[in-house]
Amino acid sequence: MTTVLVIGAGGVFGSRLAEGLLRHGLGVVVAGRSRARAEDVAGRLRAAFPGGDVAVAALDTATLTPEQLKATGAAIVADMAGPFQGAEPTTARAAIAAGLHYVDLADGRDFVAAFPALDEAARAAGVVALTGCSSTPALSNAVLDRLTEGWREVVSVEAAISPGARAPKGLSVMQAILSWMGRPVMVFDDGVWTMRRGWSGLYRRDFGAAGVRRVSLCETPDLDLFPARFAPRDRALFLAGMEPWTLHLEGWLLGRLVSLFRFNPVPLARTLLTLASLQSVSGSDRGAMRVQALGVDGQGRAARAVWRLVAEPGEGPVTPSLPALAAIRAIDAGRVAPGARACVGVLPLEAITEEMAPHGLATEAMTERGLYPRAIGSAFDSLPEPIRALHETPGRSLWRGRAMTEGASGPLAALAAWVIGFPRAQADCEAEVAIDADGERSIWRRRIGGHGFASRLSRPREGGRISERFGPLSMGLRLTPEGGRLVYRVEGWRAGPIPLPRFLCPATEAFEEVDAEGRFVFDVTITAPLLGRLVRYRGWLERA
């Protein structure tokens, strides 16, 4: 029987790992600075697993030696304690020197980045040393490996986690979050490396059965590993949230204060844990994780792939321990080559999800195309390639060409056109359209003859239906392929959520086609009842 030394077995994640190891028939050595506390943890494990092999060792990681590790009789060392931010890999070094395998659940960006420095020593000792065997980066990368398998291009990747409101919150986890909250974080965004503030942004993300939640920028090893492993063209983000929503907002405000006044919030960890506990009576108790990739699939089509995990109340804290459990089992079976590295590209997703079976964890995955193909259906693929390319290019794209415009047909129409930002009449002018498509919505920023106006397309529905919003006004459109053209028709309009009378609805005569030179051609006329023509613009575009 293989025995695993679990450092931090009395903690939120270490206790779950110890239980998982015993469930699989492996032996466990409970390690702690206090033998009395370690004996107490071991007693609870023996009661839960009467036939399990549970021993105790009094160890202090600050003074740990290879000889002490050897004396425990363990073959694998699992460091489940933290925080890892700013820490040295002393336990990993001692384990390698003792000839023992090693895993941890480090989520410290600096810790994981520096870990491969131990690779030469680990190879020489013939042992495996894996860091980051947790939700990040092990699980997040395993999911992305599966979602993007066979893709031609990755445009953006993102992972987000949102624990349940009443999930246990350890001191080391809170200290880790506070270590970067409000401080500069290097992020790959808009196609470049740039600085963002930790816990900035209040993004809305759909976690499926766990609902729509707010999340903010979180510093984890994935901010480095995602760009290195998947080479996204646009961005790579890791986001995190807290339940209830008010607690998350308080964290966001604290991040703003840290950024403004440059103080160290880590000493506030115990106080903030108390405040979090008081607020935990509200908010969802389901834990959730979400991973998304946007890109071009193996058939050359735009694709948005999403994977979600939802944990029933009380089961969320087991999730970070499952990659460590899967890694230990793989090491024990001889399926991992010696060396020291981050736990990415090591475990297939199935090896981790297999460990979810005994727990209340549900996962789902879906892959869908862009807005236009989802609305139009199979008929979209019969459209000429230049039309498909403009509407299905994922991420950010820029299209340039020439246009002519006809202005408003009267004074009141001119006033309405000016408010919206429609261009004035010009016989020949430059045309530019910047499109930002993320699979859920598509933002079009047009600039024709020096005049800029923007709209947002979203909510694709069967029958070619899609919504386009200009400021507070939105129109329901029907998209119909007709003889090589794509024709637009307006079916209704709203001011915010309020439906407006159909007899006052603007009308659109619009179509897209391809000219003799193979270029994308547009022809759009917008009129309003009682006002007449607001604008007409037509021309051609090519990708810049």
Side-chain angles (χ1 to χ4, degrees):
M1 176 192 299
T2 300
T3 299
V4 181
L5 175 71
V6 181
I7 298 171
V12 174
F13 306 130
S15 60
R16 268 70 172 188
L17 175 65
E19 292 167 3
L21 293 169
L22 291 168
R23 189 176 294 112
H24 282 297
L26 282 76
V28 170
V29 179
V30 176
R33 288 192 298 271
S34 167
R35 178 172 284 275
R37 186 183 176 194
E39 288 286 4
D40 182 57
V41 173
R44 293 199 300 269
L45 290 172
R46 292 186 185 112
F49 299 90
D53 181 8
V54 183
V56 171
L59 296 173
D60 186 344
T61 55
T63 58
L64 193 63
T65 66
E67 290 70 29
Q68 289 175 319
L69 290 177
K70 286 181 181 179
T72 65
I76 303 173
V77 177
D79 189 352
M80 299 288 107
F84 292 90
Q85 283 78 2
E88 287 290 323
T90 52
T91 303
R93 287 196 190 104
I96 293 170
L100 307 180
H101 302 297
Y102 168 92
V103 301
D104 67 39
L105 45 61
D107 60 355
R109 187 176 182 179
D110 54 346
F111 187 94
V112 173
F115 199 81
L118 305 178
D119 185 58
E120 185 177 348
R123 289 176 182 272
V127 300
V128 177
L130 298 176
T131 187
C133 305
S134 188
S135 303
T136 168
L139 178 55
S140 53
N141 276 264
V143 172
L144 283 172
D145 283 337
R146 179 65 68 243
L147 294 182
T148 62
E149 189 172 12
W151 281 19
R152 297 181 184 180
E153 180 187 19
V154 175
V155 173
S156 65
V157 292
E158 175 188 293
I161 55 174
S162 179
R166 286 167 286 287
K169 299 173 178 66
L171 178 63
S172 63
V173 173
M174 181 61 75
Q175 290 172 333
I177 294 172
L178 293 175
S179 70
W180 46 259
M181 182 177 282
R183 296 177 178 174
V185 173
M186 184 67 75
V187 181
F188 185 76
D189 196 9
D190 291 336
V192 297
W193 286 97
T194 186
M195 284 291 187
R196 298 280 188 266
R197 176 172 50 83
W199 212 260
S200 62
L202 291 173
Y203 305 94
R204 286 169 54 88
R205 292 295 182 266
D206 183 0
F207 287 90
V212 176
R213 299 183 180 183
R214 295 282 184 173
V215 287
S216 297
L217 177 63
C218 176
E219 182 166 58
T220 77
D222 282 330
L223 294 183
D224 293 321
L225 292 168
F226 284 170
R229 300 192 70 241
F230 301 100
R233 169 161 52 86
D234 284 359
R235 66 176 60 90
L237 296 179
F238 195 99
L239 309 171
M242 294 188 288
E243 282 285 296
W245 153 240
T246 53
L247 182 62
H248 184 88
L249 181 60
E250 289 163 14
W252 181 84
L253 291 171
L254 177 60
R256 293 283 294 175
L257 292 174
V258 171
S259 177
L260 289 172
F261 299 105
R262 302 184 183 279
F263 64 92
N264 179 15
V266 174
L268 301 174
R270 292 186 185 277
T271 302
L272 294 175
L273 280 174
T274 301
L275 292 175
S277 178
L278 292 174
Q279 295 181 65
S280 66
V281 294
S282 62
S284 171
D285 201 25
R286 282 176 160 174
M289 182 172 180
R290 181 181 187 276
V291 181
Q292 174 180 298
L294 180 70
V296 180
D297 67 15
Q299 296 175 286
R301 304 181 306 190
R304 184 176 76 103
V306 179
W307 179 92
R308 298 188 186 99
L309 178 151
V310 176
E312 291 304 313
E315 292 291 349
V318 76
T319 307
S321 71
L322 299 180
L325 179 58
I328 289 170
R329 294 187 66 200
I331 292 170
D332 186 43
R335 296 196 298 268
V336 184
R341 55 203 182 277
C343 189
V344 296
V346 175
L347 300 171
L349 178 59
E350 293 74 19
I352 302 175
T353 55
E354 179 185 336
E355 303 299 343
M356 298 178 184
H359 310 285
L361 305 177
T363 64
E364 62 173 350
M366 66 173 188
T367 300
E368 57 187 12
R369 298 178 66 182
L371 301 184
Y372 275 56
R374 276 153 51 201
I376 297 170
S378 58
F380 176 84
D381 293 324
S382 65
L383 288 167
E385 193 278 334
I387 297 177
R388 287 185 284 114
L390 184 133
H391 291 299
E392 205 177 19
T393 297
R396 296 180 176 177
S397 59
L398 182 64
W399 306 79
R400 291 194 176 113
R402 307 294 299 180
M404 67 79 64
T405 62
E406 298 176 25
S409 60
L412 290 179
L415 177 61
W418 176 79
V419 170
I420 297 173
F422 288 149
R424 66 179 186 276
Q426 296 183 72
D428 181 56
C429 59
E430 292 183 349
E432 179 178 286
V433 180
I435 302 175
D436 192 349
D438 65 5
E440 294 184 272
R441 62 193 61 82
S442 182
I443 300 172
W444 287 45
R445 296 179 178 88
R446 305 167 181 86
R447 193 158 193 85
I448 298 177
H451 289 259
F453 59 104
S455 66
R456 174 179 296 209
L457 293 145
S458 62
R459 299 181 61 234
R461 303 175 299 286
E462 288 186 8
R465 292 180 173 87
I466 198 165
S467 297
E468 183 170 22
R469 193 181 79 191
F470 293 87
L473 299 177
S474 62
M475 293 188 292
L477 303 177
R478 182 187 286 270
L479 315 175
T480 309
E482 295 180 0
R485 288 181 170 185
L486 180 59
V487 179
Y488 291 64
R489 294 181 176 89
V490 177
E491 295 193 326
W493 68 318
R494 292 173 175 265
I498 304 171
L500 297 176
R502 287 291 298 270
F503 72 90
L504 293 177
C505 181
T508 297
E509 295 179 19
F511 64 86
E512 298 165 352
E513 61 183 359
V514 177
D515 65 13
E517 297 180 49
R519 300 177 301 197
F520 173 91
V521 171
F522 57 90
D523 193 323
V524 180
T525 302
I526 300 175
T527 60
L530 307 180
L531 299 181
R533 186 184 66 231
L534 300 181
V535 70
R536 181 190 183 192
Y537 53 95
R538 54 192 172 93
W540 58 268
L541 295 170
E542 291 180 324
R543 188 169 181 180

